[in-house]
Amino acid sequence: MSRGLFSFLVFLCGSIGAGSDVLAQLYYNQRPEFLKANSQWAFGRRSGLDFNTANPDAYCTGMVLSYEGVASVADPVTGALLFYTNGVQCWNRNHQLMPVFAGGNFFNGNVVYSTTQGACIVPVSGSPSKYYVFTLIGVIDRLHLFPNPFTGHLYYSVVDMSLDNGLGDIVPGQMNILLDTEMLHEGMIAIPGNCGDVWLMVHHAELAQFRAYHITAEGINPNPVTSVTGTQIQGTATVTLPIIGTRVMPAYLGGGMAVSPDRQRIAIANTGFAYDYPFNGVLLCKFDPHTGVVSDAIIVDSALASYCPAFSPDNSRLYLSHPIPDPNNALRPIVNLHQYTITNYDSAAIASSKVVIGSVNNYNNSANSYLKLYDGKIYINPQSGDTTLSVIHQPDMPGLACNYQTGAVSVIPAYCPAGSSGYTPQTYLTLPNEVVYPYSNDTIYASFDTTICLFSSDIFEPYQISVPGGFDSYLWDDGSSDTIRTIDRPGTYWVWRINRPCEAMADTYIVRRADIPEFSLGEDQVLCSDGITLEADIAADRFLWSDGSTGNAIHVIHSGTYWVTVSNAAVCSVSDTVTVTLVQPNPQDLGEDFSICRGDALHELKANVSSGASVLWSNGSREASVMPDTAGIWWVSVTNPPCIQTDTLYITEEVCACFFEVPTAFTPNGDGRNDVFRAVIEPGCPVAGYTLNVYNRYGQRVFGSNDPLTGWDGWYRGSPADVGTYFYEILFEGGTHRRQYYRKGDMVLMR
């Protein structure tokens, strides 16, 4: 059980200071220039989307065939298309090759169109008409061409939109400038810094090393900021991959990167194109936009093969695709979409928060899907050369409440001009890389206000407000300069966080008492059950559970961590979390009680045993089955903590039939041995309707009895009978099955 001690509500503050920019309050990907510059999406095969209308309009492009590594840019004010690239060539807004490429030249990058984020466009600071085009040759690209050695390269070129009569072309002498000769992963993204700068992020293919290239108004620093983190995933392995064959492969192979809207987290995915690739995995890291340093890497979910991640707009959730084998089709995996809650920066907590929100249509044997956040929604490319994009409409919401829709946006244009390639317009594998704009150098801006709600109590306990570190200086409203402020009463508190020369952030903390009482979902539970109802036993206006439901209770049938946030009309809310482990019981059924005939063999008794359970039989055996050797009470107890399941079976033994014999002679001489003639019947055998008659040689009946225990003592009519031969007749029903027995014969009386 984990109780939420406070909750956060976010409000926008006005900017302050000369030269202030109110837009600086927004996350980088919410700013109007970002939305307009990224409103034109050019895909790998003839198709594009225009997001400047209520519903994206598809159009026909000139880019015929590119598996991955596409990027496109639009005017940051109007949203009109400027140019797009596949990391090999550039097309202008008229979907024609720029003159340099029409003349047979190519970018050094994405050489076989197969580097995930093989192209990235970054505006040149201070030159509105110019753009850097970074091109990357990833490991897989290099393996296709040069199996040994497998090195990667990073280049950049400069496009000037004033050239070719405003259609754009490469600036002479500024094409294919080598920036990095290291072996590189396929991910490459740009992230705005804090002072009018941009960081271009790449990652080493074999080492746990991020490489951040600093882009400022002065240009590109060729010496990257290197960050070693995520040492859980590094090295090489010998694997066999489709097409490429058997190779010694580096840890960071294929996949992409993404940054959270607040620029505080960066995720890098890795997929080795095989379920058992030893370096599959997704790392979540902390990112400092002031320094470009990446740190504190944790694994999101062990050995998770994924392609390109996406963060939710409020930074609270991470979305990944993950292929699993399809038992019905060995060549076509099932691609699931996973949602993780990342507010608790802990690998185990993040892994346990996983919710599978659905699966991606997989029409063409694809292995994974590319995810991209844009304008509050996450778009998913099925990576199968599909003709539609899927959409997560409300990615901030937990679980299925995120509103995932497959096939939501068509990418098939209504018309393609004559002479276009015969290829059907499709997305192919990736979505275009983001174009980012730096924050203004002279911007002084305020961060979001934060409301801290503490539980009501008679005595206000001291509370510590902690602000993010890493700034040059701090200034609180009381004149203190620490990163931590201890308060002893509700109220409003503010602090300046200052990074010279250009950044100052004012944080306001409103501390108030909560208007709803504490509650608890109870302690974490391990139950022997197939389900449990969790209830928020509190009067409140609103309930929101981890599965998106809004009642005051939910019934859960799977083990996991569940939370509920409860709020009233006021600003405060309170949350609680409980971990429930449901152990499925192993019901035992040895069958109905039964009887056996004496002397018959018993059948085997079997327990219902799951993996990890222990067994104990009434005879001390701990095997899954026993062979009873006697009648009686037999029981079994199966323990799989906390479940203990038992059953008892009663086995009774019957004398189903009677064994009996008749003596051939007897000697009624009073010596106590063989003095009486009668049938000898198996002890314990039930007898009914018993009749014994004895006759002499003249046919006279000399003795009769209906009691099997009473026999003839050799007397007849008060005198000892003559020695000689006599005849008998015996009739009775014997055994629990009431079998009829009849026998007649002769015997000898001797003295």
Side-chain angles (χ1 to χ4, degrees):
M1 186 270 293
S2 176
R3 180 167 303 157
L5 295 181
F6 53 85
S7 60
F8 294 100
L9 292 181
V10 175
F11 303 88
L12 291 179
C13 286
S15 297
I16 59 178
S20 65
D21 180 3
V22 71
L23 301 179
Q25 304 166 37
L26 301 173
Y27 293 137
Y28 81 93
N29 59 359
Q30 296 172 340
R31 299 166 66 188
E33 69 269 29
F34 174 92
L35 294 175
K36 285 298 184 180
N38 287 276
S39 62
Q40 301 285 345
W41 292 14
F43 303 118
R45 183 173 287 182
R46 299 184 60 214
S47 181
L49 279 180
D50 183 349
F51 281 83
N52 289 291
T53 57
N55 296 310
D57 287 335
Y59 56 85
C60 191
T61 72
M63 187 159 49
V64 176
L65 179 62
S66 185
Y67 303 104
E68 301 174 279
V70 296
S72 50
V73 62
D75 187 286
V77 177
T78 66
L81 178 66
L82 295 179
F83 69 92
Y84 51 93
T85 180
N86 60 2
V88 179
Q89 298 171 300
C90 273
W91 289 261
N92 61 30
R93 64 175 178 266
N94 294 330
H95 310 296
Q96 300 168 336
L97 285 173
M98 290 182 176
V100 165
F101 303 100
N105 295 297
F106 299 93
F107 283 138
N108 290 341
N110 202 26
V111 287
V112 291
Y113 316 105
S114 186
T115 296
T116 304
Q117 292 169 327
C120 186
I121 300 171
V122 177
V124 176
S125 180
S127 301
S129 68
K130 292 183 179 181
Y131 294 86
Y132 295 114
V133 179
F134 294 91
T135 54
L136 172 68
I137 305 176
V139 175
I140 295 297
D141 241 351
R142 298 295 295 180
L143 283 170
H144 279 297
L145 295 180
F146 313 110
N148 195 7
F150 43 83
T151 58
H153 295 298
L154 176 63
Y155 300 85
Y156 73 93
S157 306
V158 180
V159 170
D160 189 343
M161 294 305 302
S162 67
L163 300 177
D164 192 26
N165 298 314
L167 293 176
D169 198 5
I170 301 296
V171 175
Q174 296 190 44
M175 183 173 179
N176 292 328
I177 301 171
L178 181 63
L179 192 60
D180 199 325
T181 60
E182 290 294 316
M183 178 172 55
L184 298 174
H185 175 254
E186 291 190 344
M188 175 173 61
I189 59 174
I191 305 174
N194 287 344
C195 291
D197 52 347
V198 172
W199 298 99
L200 184 80
M201 305 299 300
V202 291
H203 194 284
H204 201 282
E206 183 179 350
L207 305 177
Q209 182 190 90
F210 284 89
R211 301 170 68 82
Y213 285 91
H214 203 193
I215 306 170
T216 66
E218 287 71 38
I220 303 170
N221 187 338
N223 301 308
V225 174
T226 59
S227 303
V228 176
T229 187
T231 54
Q232 309 97 321
I233 302 177
Q234 64 178 343
T236 60
T238 301
V239 295
T240 301
L241 302 178
I243 302 175
I244 298 172
T246 300
R247 295 284 191 276
V248 176
M249 303 295 287
Y252 290 86
L253 190 57
M257 285 191 282
V259 66
S260 61
D262 63 3
R263 302 173 298 148
Q264 300 301 305
R265 301 287 183 265
I266 188 170
I268 180 169
N270 194 41
T271 178
F273 304 96
Y275 301 118
D276 57 352
Y277 187 65
F279 298 116
N280 283 335
V282 175
L283 287 183
L284 180 65
C285 313
K286 296 180 180 179
F287 179 72
D288 185 347
H290 186 63
T291 63
V293 171
V294 183
S295 62
D296 300 320
I298 58 175
I299 294 178
V300 172
D301 206 342
S302 180
L304 186 75
S306 193
Y307 186 49
C308 192
F311 291 87
S312 64
D314 68 354
N315 312 289
S316 67
R317 308 188 196 283
L318 182 68
Y319 290 84
L320 302 169
S321 64
H322 176 51
I324 59 174
D326 186 345
N328 300 316
N329 189 336
L331 298 177
R332 178 178 297 176
I334 298 170
V335 181
N336 286 331
L337 289 177
H338 294 184
Q339 180 200 79
Y340 298 85
T341 300
I342 59 174
T343 49
N344 184 355
Y345 198 74
D346 176 80
S347 183
I350 292 173
S352 67
S353 73
K354 178 181 72 178
V355 178
V356 178
I357 63 170
S359 58
V360 179
N361 292 331
N362 186 359
Y363 301 112
N364 194 30
N365 303 340
S366 68
N368 229 311
S369 294
Y370 193 103
L371 281 65
K372 178 179 179 178
L373 173 65
Y374 177 73
D375 199 13
K377 299 180 180 181
I378 292 177
Y379 294 83
I380 299 113
N381 183 358
Q383 210 209 36
S384 58
D386 198 5
T387 57
T388 62
L389 301 181
S390 298
V391 177
I392 301 173
H393 292 280
Q394 296 174 286
D396 289 339
M397 298 298 290
L400 300 182
C402 70
N403 191 12
Y404 168 61
Q405 180 186 4
T406 60
V409 179
S410 173
V411 302
I412 300 179
Y415 170 75
C416 276
S420 295
S421 166
Y423 290 114
T424 300
Q426 295 175 345
T427 58
Y428 229 73
L429 303 185
T430 59
L431 302 177
N433 213 340
E434 285 187 346
V435 180
V436 302
Y437 282 80
Y439 291 105
S440 174
N441 263 340
D442 61 353
T443 295
I444 298 177
Y445 63 94
S447 72
F448 300 140
D449 281 354
T450 302
T451 297
I452 302 175
C453 296
L454 302 179
F455 290 124
S456 300
S457 62
D458 294 334
I459 300 175
F460 190 93
E461 298 289 340
Y463 181 79
Q464 287 188 331
I465 301 174
S466 178
V467 296
F471 286 76
D472 295 336
S473 61
Y474 301 83
L475 179 62
W476 287 89
D477 55 283
D478 66 348
S480 61
S481 59
D482 200 352
T483 58
I484 296 176
R485 172 82 176 274
T486 301
I487 60 174
D488 59 2
R489 62 177 57 87
T492 300
Y493 304 85
W494 56 262
V495 61
W496 281 101
R497 293 183 284 150
I498 302 168
N499 272 328
R500 295 180 176 87
C502 64
E503 181 184 22
M505 305 178 68
D507 292 316
T508 301
Y509 296 89
I510 303 170
V511 181
R512 55 170 294 167
R513 297 182 188 273
D515 58 346
I516 53 178
E518 293 187 63
F519 79 100
S520 174
L521 293 176
E523 298 296 326
D524 294 345
Q525 301 182 65
V526 180
L527 301 173
C528 179
S529 175
D530 55 7
I532 182 177
T533 297
L534 301 176
E535 182 178 6
D537 187 14
I538 186 175
D541 296 335
R542 301 182 185 90
F543 298 86
L544 178 62
W545 292 85
S546 48
D547 65 351
S549 59
T550 56
N552 71 331
I554 59 171
H555 187 75
V556 300
I557 58 174
H558 300 291
S559 298
T561 299
Y562 300 90
W563 56 258
V564 63
T565 298
V566 180
S567 59
N568 281 331
V571 296
C572 288
S573 63
V574 61
S575 301
D576 193 32
T577 300
V578 65
T579 298
V580 176
T581 302
L582 297 176
V583 180
Q584 294 294 328
N586 300 116
Q588 302 302 310
D589 185 6
L590 297 179
E592 298 294 328
D593 298 342
F594 65 90
S595 297
I596 62 171
C597 294
R598 183 181 295 175
D600 287 354
L602 292 168
H603 66 266
E604 185 180 41
L605 302 180
K606 294 183 178 181
N608 178 22
V609 183
S610 62
S611 177
S614 61
V615 183
L616 178 62
W617 291 90
S618 50
N619 67 346
S621 172
R622 294 189 174 274
E623 300 298 324
S625 63
V626 296
M627 182 67 72
D629 52 4
T630 64
I633 298 175
W634 287 83
W635 56 260
V636 66
S637 177
V638 177
T639 301
N640 188 11
C643 297
I644 301 176
Q645 301 287 304
T646 64
D647 193 31
T648 301
L649 176 69
Y650 294 89
I651 303 174
T652 56
E653 187 177 65
E654 299 180 359
V655 181
C656 300
C658 293
F659 172 81
F660 82 100
E661 291 291 344
V662 180
T664 58
F666 75 113
T667 58
N669 55 12
D671 62 359
R673 295 183 300 173
N674 203 24
D675 288 334
V676 178
F677 172 77
R678 64 171 180 265
V680 180
I681 301 175
E682 178 182 2
C685 184
V687 174
Y690 181 84
T691 300
L692 170 62
N693 291 311
V694 179
Y695 303 91
N696 62 21
R697 63 180 180 275
Y698 304 111
Q700 296 174 310
R701 191 177 79 150
V702 298
F703 177 77
S705 175
N706 297 115
D707 181 1
L709 298 179
T710 302
W712 184 35
D713 60 3
W715 286 68
Y716 178 63
R717 293 183 178 179
S719 300
D722 295 337
V723 172
T725 300
Y726 292 82
F727 303 91
Y728 65 88
E729 183 180 45
I730 298 174
L731 176 66
F732 65 92
E733 291 181 351
T736 56
H737 292 182
R738 299 183 68 87
R739 177 179 173 183
Q740 294 284 337
Y741 292 92
Y742 175 75
R743 187 178 296 182
K744 63 179 180 179
D746 59 74
M747 52 80 179
V748 178
L749 187 154
M750 297 183 294
R751 302 272 182 194

